[in-house]
Amino acid sequence: MASAAPSRGLLGRMMLRKSVAQVQHETASSELKRSLGAWNLVFLGIGCIIGAGIFVRTGNAAALHAGPAVLISYVIAGIVCAFAGLCYAELASTLPVSGSAYTYSYTTIGEFAAWVMGALLLLEYGLAASVVAVGWSGYMVSLLNDIGVHIPDALTGPSGHLKELADGTTITTVFNLPAFLVCAALGLLLVIGVSESAKFNNVIVAIKVTVLVAFILVGGFIILKNLPTYTPNWDPFIPPPTGEKGEFGWSGILRAASIVFFAYIGFEAVSTAGQEAKNPAKDMPFGIIGSLLACTVIYILVSIVLTLIVPYTKLNVPDPVAVAVDAFGPQWAWFASTIKVGAIIGLTSVILVLMYGQTRIFYTMARDGLLPKIFSTVHPTFRTPWINTILVGLIVATAAGFFDINTLGDMTSVGTLAAFGIVCLTVIWLRRTHPDIPRGYKVPIYPVVPALGIVSCFALIFTVETRVLVFFAWYTLAMIVLYFVYGMHNSELAKGHQVAATGEPALFPEDEPKDDSGKPVMRP
């Protein structure tokens, strides 16, 4: 269904698009069971959103940039995400296929934009999983210390990082062993096909939400009972700027917004389940927007308790919620351990979901010929894209083991903000090129909302440190070169081949097509 002419110029080649009809064919040809309702999608979104962003990056943002005013940063980031979320909702209801923003770009702006989007999604999903793993390591080390098990401090941080110990001394960390091991273990689980089921995902979401609600309620009770003790931690609420860009004051609040923006990453993961939603046109917008709103309220309440209980200067740690519950007092030690266990369970789930999401992006790109076909090879026994999954596991584990969480988080945020900006542009492009196709949901106040999404996303990008922006520029340039060297010459669409969504693993194992005996059917 490629409508391209045999001979085309460079620009025409880069803008080669899948037709809307082809994308709809991919949806129709998929054998995935449509079993996910609106609330399943909300839980799927919450399950991916609540992770290292709230459990980890809140502390970094408060300690280094915004102080107690980090809750304003959450509001700003939430508004930016709302713009992008509304655009995602329209695209998800119009083109309910796997591949998420990658497929949206391929259908609207063209193949080159789809390639760039795929590169950005590697930062969003792959490196985000590394950030979550570093946070997981912080909570695990804290919990193990509570029960008397001590991992050598040199093996609990990124390479070359100065870590201050409890006695005031400092050491240089070599490698984050727990973070590396959890990524490696989950990568192996994904290879053999141990994925979350819809019911199990709902249980994990319930645990994470319960942990945060319990933290809010108990912390709020302690604060109200001893209010004069804790109110000084909010004085001043907005710390005065130091003179350095992004360090406190309003520039610090904006800088923190780009950091806590990471906490919202995940709501668009709902769009990867387009072929498994019962009623994509209605359920997917509900899932995306509903999960985003629920998490925004939770985040603001958690940040209020966190910065009142503990002075913001002490929150630049991988496990700020653990530090806060430890500050509740020795009588709450059991509660602190419970919170840490809940955080570890929740973060484990998020790592799994993010790594799984990354494998789906690689799978779709390989199926389209933009990556080597070996990445779309499904294992005959495990029915998983196993080579693809091994590669993702190695990338995620290595990044988690050697890099610090602030660098990883900033790179993830920049890549995600750029991806969200392109998604907002995609809505405008599709409205202009295909105004009459059915849309189950339309962005309100068009084109103001998508335009504000583009402007706000790219505005936050430029609040990030220069070194991160330089890395992002070189990374993007390398990916563009790779497109011209490999992707352009191997594209299935350019060859005139129609790509059907066959052989693709389901998001949840119970959704795989089965024969009469109940065994999974191996599709071509």
Side-chain angles (χ1 to χ4, degrees), residues 203-395:
V203 171
I204 296 297
V205 171
I207 291 173
K208 289 192 289 188
V209 172
T210 300
V211 163
L212 291 177
V213 170
F215 173 76
I216 293 167
L217 293 177
V218 174
F221 170 76
I222 293 172
I223 290 169
L224 292 175
K225 189 177 179 181
N226 305 278
L227 195 58
T229 303
Y230 295 108
T231 49
N233 289 335
W234 269 24
D235 185 18
F237 180 69
I238 303 177
T242 62
E244 293 290 330
K245 180 183 177 182
E247 288 188 5
F248 306 111
W250 278 99
S251 70
I253 291 173
L254 292 175
R255 174 70 181 91
S258 71
I259 293 175
V260 300
F261 179 86
F262 180 91
Y264 291 100
I265 293 174
F267 72 83
E268 80 287 1
V270 175
S271 65
T272 66
Q275 295 181 22
E276 294 151 83
K278 291 179 180 178
N279 187 348
K282 294 183 179 180
D283 293 346
M284 296 194 66
F286 183 87
I288 291 171
I289 298 171
S291 57
L292 183 60
L293 287 175
C295 290
T296 299
V297 173
I298 293 172
Y299 287 172
I300 291 174
L301 294 175
V302 169
S303 63
I304 290 172
V305 173
L306 194 66
T307 52
L308 277 172
I309 287 287
V310 180
Y312 68 88
T313 54
K314 297 182 179 180
L315 292 175
N316 187 27
V317 292
D319 54 341
V321 175
V323 171
V325 293
D326 285 339
F328 286 0
Q331 69 273 28
W332 292 98
W334 63 272
F335 182 72
S337 296
T338 302
I339 292 291
K340 293 172 188 177
V341 170
I344 289 168
I345 292 172
L347 293 177
T348 303
S349 170
V350 173
I351 299 170
L352 194 67
V353 170
L354 288 171
M355 290 177 66
Y356 189 85
Q358 182 60 63
T359 64
R360 287 177 76 85
I361 299 299
F362 277 176
Y363 177 93
T364 305
M365 293 182 72
R367 190 186 66 192
D368 289 338
L370 299 184
L371 289 178
K373 286 295 183 183
I374 195 170
F375 293 128
S376 63
T377 302
V378 176
H379 195 282
T381 302
F382 301 138
R383 292 189 46 73
T384 59
W386 63 288
I387 296 175
N388 168 352
T389 304
I390 290 173
L391 176 64
V392 169
L394 287 174
I395 293 173

Side-chain angles (χ1 to χ4, degrees), residues 113-126 358 411-412 414-420 422 472 475-476 479:
W115 174 274
V116 172
M117 180 62 79
L120 296 176
L121 291 176
L122 175 58
L123 295 179
E124 178 179 348
Y125 284 88
Q358 182 60 63
M411 289 190 293
T412 302
V414 169
T416 306
L417 283 163
F420 285 6
I422 294 175
F472 178 69
Y475 170 80
T476 304
M479 292 297 103

Side-chain angles (χ1 to χ4, degrees), residues 427-450:
V427 167
I428 297 175
W429 194 294
L430 194 61
R431 286 279 192 107
R432 290 179 63 86
T433 57
H434 293 81
D436 299 325
I437 62 173
R439 290 172 171 83
Y441 173 84
K442 288 187 176 182
V443 172
I445 322 177
Y446 175 87
V448 174
V449 168

Side-chain angles (χ1 to χ4, degrees), residues 452-503:
L452 287 175
I454 295 170
V455 171
S456 58
C457 283
F458 284 95
L460 281 186
I461 286 177
F462 290 103
T463 66
V464 176
E465 292 182 50
T466 302
R467 64 184 179 89
V468 176
L469 294 178
V470 170
F471 163 83
F472 178 69
W474 280 109
Y475 170 80
T476 304
L477 179 61
M479 292 297 103
I480 290 173
V481 170
L482 189 58
Y483 169 74
F484 287 109
V485 171
Y486 182 88
M488 174 180 280
H489 302 289
N490 293 276
S491 165
E492 292 292 332
L493 188 61
K495 296 174 184 177
H497 297 165
Q498 179 172 294
V499 180
T502 54

